[in-house]
């Protein structure tokens, strides 16, 4: 029996990198990174808000390092329009560098041009996350669904090692699907399930 006070949807169990990334049957992280290599290490992860783009990047990180990529990572929040220390960082880029920009669509047009220029002259790779196709080739498209949200929720429960019997009493399939259909955002679904789980604890 596990601690009944544990909430499996707490951030420590669900943040990017904590859960295995769920790919379609037959596709693995290694195969996905092979695809990026074939695209000369240039590609975009495309998908709506909360569909797992950041989680996929986190899942690929170890494989990038296995391929001897040197990572230069940026994560944009709150409408940031520029990349901090871009020109300084770019001095060390080379053909083994993989520049990663999570939230690429937030950049100003000037910043995207600067980034493209620096990547080109340094012969670096570039991976971005965006909500719609961009000038980079699409590397992977995230497609959220209620069924995927259910799978992710079950993984979070397993990650937290919550007692299965208690889980069934507190959180059934219909509850998970109802939480997802609030807006089709898996990240927000997990936030809602956190509140639902906490309420059922009281």
């Amino acid at each position: 029996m596990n601690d009944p006070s544990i909430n499996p949807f707490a951030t420590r169990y669900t943040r990017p990198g904590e859960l295995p990334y769920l790919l379609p049957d037959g596709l693995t992280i290694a195969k996905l990174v092979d695809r990026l290599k074939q695209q000369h290490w240039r590609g975009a992860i495309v998908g709506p808000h909360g569909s797992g783009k950041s989680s996929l990047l986190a899942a690929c990180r170890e494989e990038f390092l296995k391929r001897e990529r040197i990572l230069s990572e940026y994560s944009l929040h709150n409408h940031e329009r520029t990349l901090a220390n871009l020109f300084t960082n770019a001095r060390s880029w080379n053909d083994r560098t993989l520049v990663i920009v999570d939230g690429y669509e937030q950049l100003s047009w000037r910043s995207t041009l600067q980034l493209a220029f620096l990547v080109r002259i340094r012969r670096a790779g570039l991976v971005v996350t965006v909500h719609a196709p961009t000038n980079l080739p699409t590397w992977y498209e995230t497609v959220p669904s209620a069924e995927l949200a259910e799978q992710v929720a079950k993984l979070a429960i397993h990650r937290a090692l919550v007692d299965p019997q208690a889980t069934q009493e507190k959180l059934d399939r219909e509850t998970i699907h109802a939480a997802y259909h609030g807006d089709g955002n898996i990240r927000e679904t997990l936030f809602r399930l956190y509140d639902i789980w906490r309420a059922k604890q009281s």
Side-chain angles (χ1 to χ4, degrees):
M1 176 73 72
N2 302 111
D3 184 348
S5 67
I6 290 175
N7 190 321
F9 305 105
T11 303
R12 66 180 178 275
Y13 301 123
T14 60
R15 62 192 168 203
E18 290 297 327
L19 299 175
Y21 193 85
L22 298 173
L23 290 167
D25 289 344
L27 183 60
T28 65
I29 292 296
K31 288 180 180 179
L32 191 60
V33 174
D34 282 341
R35 182 188 300 174
L36 183 66
K37 182 179 179 181
Q38 292 167 4
Q39 295 177 190
H40 306 289
W41 299 104
R42 294 173 59 81
I45 301 173
V46 181
H49 283 290
S51 61
K53 298 185 298 296
S54 298
S55 294
L56 179 55
L57 280 179
C60 290
R61 196 175 193 281
E62 183 177 350
E63 191 66 27
F64 290 152
L65 296 175
K66 285 181 181 178
R67 308 298 180 93
E68 299 184 337
R69 297 301 95 189
I70 301 168
L71 306 184
S72 183
E73 302 174 81
Y74 300 88
S75 182
L76 301 176
H77 304 283
N78 301 322
H79 305 291
E80 293 177 85
R81 304 285 285 168
T82 60
L83 297 173
N85 303 314
L86 175 61
F87 286 91
T88 300
N89 294 340
R91 292 172 187 165
S92 63
W93 294 354
N94 56 44
D95 59 2
R96 290 174 53 204
T97 301
L98 183 60
V99 182
I100 298 173
V101 182
D102 192 5
Y104 178 79
E105 70 282 327
Q106 297 186 69
L107 290 177
S108 68
W109 67 269
R110 185 184 299 274
S111 293
T112 60
L113 290 176
Q114 290 172 340
L115 176 62
F117 171 75
L118 292 169
V119 165
R120 184 172 65 254
I121 64 170
R122 295 295 183 179
R123 296 182 297 167
L126 177 62
V127 171
V128 305
T129 65
V130 287
H131 296 138
T134 183
N135 55 323
L136 287 167
T138 295
W139 172 35
Y140 187 80
E141 184 172 358
T142 56
V143 183
S145 68
E147 289 71 24
L148 180 59
E150 181 182 357
Q151 289 179 285
V152 172
K154 289 178 177 178
L155 278 174
I157 291 167
H158 179 73
R159 169 75 174 81
L161 300 178
V162 174
D163 179 59
Q165 182 62 39
T167 299
Q168 184 60 34
E169 293 172 359
K170 295 174 184 176
L171 201 65
D172 56 21
R173 184 172 187 268
E174 289 71 22
T175 300
I176 297 172
H177 282 226
Y180 170 79
H181 284 300
D183 59 5
N185 182 319
I186 292 178
R187 182 175 60 237
E188 291 296 329
T189 298
L190 296 175
F191 292 155
R192 294 187 191 102
L193 291 175
Y194 175 92
D195 292 335
I196 291 169
W197 188 278
R198 184 172 61 178
K200 288 180 178 290
Q201 285 289 97
S202 58

